[in-house]
Each structure stands twice: as C-alpha cells, then as structure tokens.
Amino acid sequence: MMASTATYNRTCRKRYRVTSKFRFIASMVMMIGIMVGIFGLVSGLNVSRAITEPQYTQVEVCYGDTLWNIANTYKSDDTDTRRAVYEICAINDIEASDLVPGMTISVPEDL
C-alpha cells in the first residue's frame, strides 16, 4: 500500500511551464507592485508628513476700513468673501465691530 501512494503523489503532481516570458514577467511586476502598494497602505509609509506653517500678511487698519473690504482685497477670486471675513476674525480672535484704525491684523496669504 505504501509504494502505490508514493507513486501516486509523484505521478499526479502537476508541473507548470512558462509559455510566454513576457506575460510571466509582466504578471510578476504587477504582483510585486500590488504587494508594495498594500504594504505602503498598511504601514502608512505613503502619508505625507510635510507640515507647512501658514503664511500671514500684516495689515494695518486705516480709518474707514472694514473687514469686508480687507477680505475682498486679500482673498483669491474663487473664495467667498464671507468665508474670508470669518477666517480673518478667527485668526485674530476679533469680531467685525472690534476693528479700530491703527490696529494691525494678520491676513492669511492663501485666502
């Protein structure tokens, strides 16, 4: 009984042949790329850790200036003026009524 089992395992073992070197190499490169990508996701190596400090412009408030006018002057075209006013107030910890001539406020450059 033992000899026939050993013979069976030896003869029924399937052998694989590489018929196309290009397909084999392409599939191996793809599998390695997928494994590297999964490893990067799991380990967190692909997360950007660059922290940039926000840049501010110092603006001195003149007589007749309002936060709305200041925000309109320094904001980009695609930013809503209300959001720009809110951000200026939040950064400087002020309200619109707190603005006085001679006061210096910080305005973010990427408004």
Side-chain angles (χ1 to χ4, degrees), residues 44-74:
L45 293 177
N46 59 349
V47 176
S48 174
R49 300 197 196 294
I51 299 174
T52 58
E53 292 293 322
Q55 301 294 320
Y56 297 103
T57 302
Q58 300 297 319
V59 177
E60 185 174 345
V61 178
C62 297
Y63 182 78
D65 281 346
T66 63
L67 277 178
W68 191 270
N69 293 340
I70 294 170
N72 268 333
T73 303
Y74 290 96

Side-chain angles (χ1 to χ4, degrees), residues 3 10-11 16 26 33 36-37 44 48 52 70 73 78 80 87 90-91 99 101 105:
R10 220 177 347 185
T11 59
Y16 294 99
V36 167
S48 174
T52 58
I70 294 170
T73 303
D78 60 338
D80 185 29
E87 288 184 28
I91 290 168
L99 224 55
I105 59 171

Side-chain angles (χ1 to χ4, degrees), residues 1-12:
M1 240 355 168
M2 290 290 255
S4 65
T5 307
T7 308
Y8 177 77
N9 286 338
R10 220 177 347 185
T11 59
C12 290

Side-chain angles (χ1 to χ4, degrees), residues 67-69 71-72 80-90 96 111:
L67 277 178
W68 191 270
N69 293 340
N72 268 333
D80 185 29
T81 306
R82 292 171 291 192
R83 178 148 178 83
V85 169
Y86 172 78
E87 288 184 28
I88 293 171
C89 287
L111 252 181

Side-chain angles (χ1 to χ4, degrees), residues 15-27:
R15 295 183 186 251
Y16 294 99
R17 291 177 69 179
V18 176
T19 57
S20 171
K21 244 185 188 179
F22 175 75
R23 279 189 1 197
F24 176 75
I25 292 173
S27 63

